[in-house]
Amino acid sequence: MVLEATMICIDNSEWMRNGDYIPSRFQAQSDAVNLICGAKTQANPENTVGILTMAGKGVRVLATPTSDLGKILACMHGLEMGGEANIAAGIQVAQLALKHRQNKHQQQRIIIFAGSPVKYDKKALETIGKKLKKNSVALDIVDFGEEDDEKPEKLEALLAAVNANDSSHIVHVPSSANALSDVLISTPVFTGDGEGGSGFVAAAAAAAASGGDTGFDFGVDPNIDPELALALRVSLEEERARQEAAAKRAAEETSRQEKGEEPSSNAEDATMEEHVNVTAPEDIKKVTEEKVSGSGHSGGDVEMSEASAEDQELALALQMSMQEGTSDQSVVSKVLEDQAFVASVLASLPGVDPNDPSVKDLIASLQSQSEEQQKKNEDEQPKEDK
């Protein structure tokens, strides 16, 4: 595979508005440029392509040589047409752009689309061609449009001056051709110097030969690009499975709504009635008055008996807590009565002397308070039982 840097010179003059090429000269040229850019970048990963326009207010570089095909194709949108194409200036700017390419091992090539009359004479074009040959720059010329009878002769003279070892080519595309790309696919401008083209070129040529029907799924030959064919097939199967699942869910939802429409409405009505019954202010007021007066229907008596039952449970809980407090107090009194246990506990405390008079007085006061509290509890217990 040839390592190459290519600059494509686009003709965006007023003559590009003509409709002798389908759908127009400029659109046919754009399609051919897109295909050439794809073929060049697919032929070698390190190939670069740049784009410039030759008409309008002057020569304008749209994209310097790059391997980013998306950037190359994006610069083709929104181009304005007008003025005359300046082939000489376009070639010189393209040669300057190739001179400043990053990879100096790339061969240099310029592709010119000439769809309008050429205003330079043969001698000026031959001088430009000799300069290109001196700097080892190959030139491909795409001649389309028939406004100037002298244009083919001038372009042939330019090619003869630049050609070395048949590295440069020219293609004359008649207006009777369906599209520029259909004619260029089988020429060295598209396929390169005897390489036969890359897989991209072969697939495009097969599609053009069969009228766009390649006979393969998605128009991709799995023998040429098996990864792309597999990715497209998997994507199609996933989309098909997603659509089937969505259709199944929709059918289940429809059947569920048909079966559960009436029960759901009845349940909703029951819920609304319950809500009204619970929140009716008159019923609330009536029940409250019955509870306060203690009269009314049997429902009020039941609620009052439930309230009294709750009061009994509360009293029982209080009594149990008092008994627990009494039992705790008795345990404390028994502990204080055990002199040996108290002395051992005090001896284990750091910095406490059990024989200290103040400590003995404190223990004695605690014992007396415990005895008084226990006696008091014993006296109160019979009164509570009564």
Side-chain angles (χ1 to χ4, degrees):
M1 294 184 294
V2 178
L3 182 61
E4 197 172 62
T6 306
M7 282 296 298
I8 301 178
C9 302
I10 297 176
D11 189 345
N12 60 326
S13 62
E14 285 289 343
W15 281 268
M16 293 298 101
R17 301 182 188 275
N18 292 350
D20 48 353
Y21 294 88
I22 300 173
S24 66
R25 285 192 186 182
F26 185 79
Q27 187 60 47
Q29 176 185 228
S30 299
D31 295 340
V33 169
N34 292 340
L35 288 174
I36 291 175
C37 292
K40 294 293 183 181
T41 54
Q42 290 287 332
N44 193 313
E46 297 184 8
N47 281 356
T48 57
V49 181
I51 305 289
L52 64 81
T53 55
M54 297 184 296
K57 296 181 180 179
V59 177
R60 185 163 66 99
V61 178
L62 303 179
T64 55
T66 177
S67 59
D68 187 355
L69 182 60
K71 182 179 180 181
I72 298 170
L73 299 180
C75 70
M76 294 292 297
H77 295 284
L79 293 180
E80 296 180 357
M81 290 177 282
E84 297 181 354
N86 192 338
I87 293 180
I91 292 175
Q92 293 174 358
V93 173
Q95 182 182 358
L96 185 62
L98 292 174
K99 182 179 179 181
H100 292 87
R101 66 193 185 281
Q102 294 181 353
N103 189 354
K104 300 301 181 182
H105 296 288
Q106 292 174 324
Q107 297 183 11
Q108 306 173 78
R109 180 175 297 275
I110 298 174
I111 300 177
I112 294 178
F113 283 83
S116 58
V118 179
K119 63 181 180 179
Y120 293 94
D121 55 15
K122 289 194 296 184
K123 290 184 178 180
L125 295 176
E126 288 176 352
T127 302
I128 296 173
K130 291 178 181 179
K131 187 177 180 181
L132 293 177
K133 184 177 181 180
K134 181 179 179 180
N135 293 297
S136 302
V137 180
L139 180 66
D140 290 336
I141 303 173
V142 180
D143 175 25
F144 62 106
E146 299 176 352
E147 287 82 7
D148 188 0
D149 295 337
E150 298 180 358
K151 185 177 72 168
E153 184 179 354
K154 293 178 180 180
L155 295 178
E156 289 285 355
L158 173 62
L159 178 69
V162 71
N163 195 11
N165 300 323
D166 293 332
S167 61
S168 301
H169 315 90
I170 186 171
V171 178
H172 301 283
V173 183
S175 58
S176 59
N178 293 328
L180 287 176
S181 56
D182 294 344
V183 177
L184 295 177
I185 282 175
S186 58
T187 64
V189 175
F190 199 89
T191 60
D193 294 330
E195 299 175 359
S198 61
F200 181 90
V201 178
S210 60
D213 185 9
T214 61
F216 300 106
D217 292 338
F218 319 107
V220 178
D221 187 356
N223 297 322
I224 296 176
D225 197 343
E227 295 181 357
L228 178 59
L230 178 60
L232 292 173
R233 189 176 297 107
V234 171
S235 177
L236 178 62
E237 292 176 357
E238 291 178 352
E239 179 64 18
R240 187 177 300 164
R242 187 190 65 81
Q243 292 179 358
E244 291 178 356
K248 185 177 180 180
R249 286 196 302 269
E252 292 178 354
E253 185 67 22
T254 303
S255 61
R256 189 183 301 111
Q257 289 180 356
E258 292 176 354
K259 294 179 180 179
E261 184 176 1
E262 184 174 356
S264 62
S265 60
N266 294 337
E268 184 177 359
D269 297 339
T271 305
M272 291 297 295
E273 291 177 0
E274 182 181 358
H275 179 71
V276 171
N277 292 335
V278 170
T279 57
E282 295 180 357
D283 294 343
I284 294 175
K285 183 177 180 181
K286 184 177 181 180
V287 172
T288 305
E289 291 176 352
E290 290 177 354
K291 287 184 179 181
V292 173
S293 60
S295 61
H297 301 288
S298 59
D301 299 337
V302 173
E303 293 179 357
M304 292 298 292
S305 61
E306 291 178 356
S308 61
E310 293 178 357
D311 295 341
Q312 292 177 2
E313 293 177 358
L314 179 59
L316 181 59
L318 292 174
Q319 184 177 359
M320 291 177 64
S321 64
M322 292 177 64
Q323 290 177 357
E324 290 177 357
T326 304
S327 60
D328 294 339
Q329 187 65 32
S330 61
V331 171
V332 174
S333 301
K334 291 179 180 179
V335 170
L336 292 176
E337 289 176 357
D338 191 351
Q339 299 293 334
F341 177 73
V342 174
S344 64
V345 172
L346 294 176
S348 63
L349 297 176
V352 179
D353 185 7
N355 298 322
D356 190 352
S358 59
V359 175
K360 291 181 178 181
D361 294 341
L362 178 60
I363 294 174
S365 63
L366 290 175
Q367 290 177 349
S368 60
Q369 291 179 2
S370 178
E371 292 174 355
E372 292 177 358
Q373 184 65 32
Q374 186 176 1
K375 185 178 180 180
K376 183 178 179 181
N377 292 336
E378 292 175 355
D379 295 340
E380 291 178 354
Q381 187 66 28
K383 296 179 180 180
E384 293 178 356
D385 295 337
K386 293 178 181 180

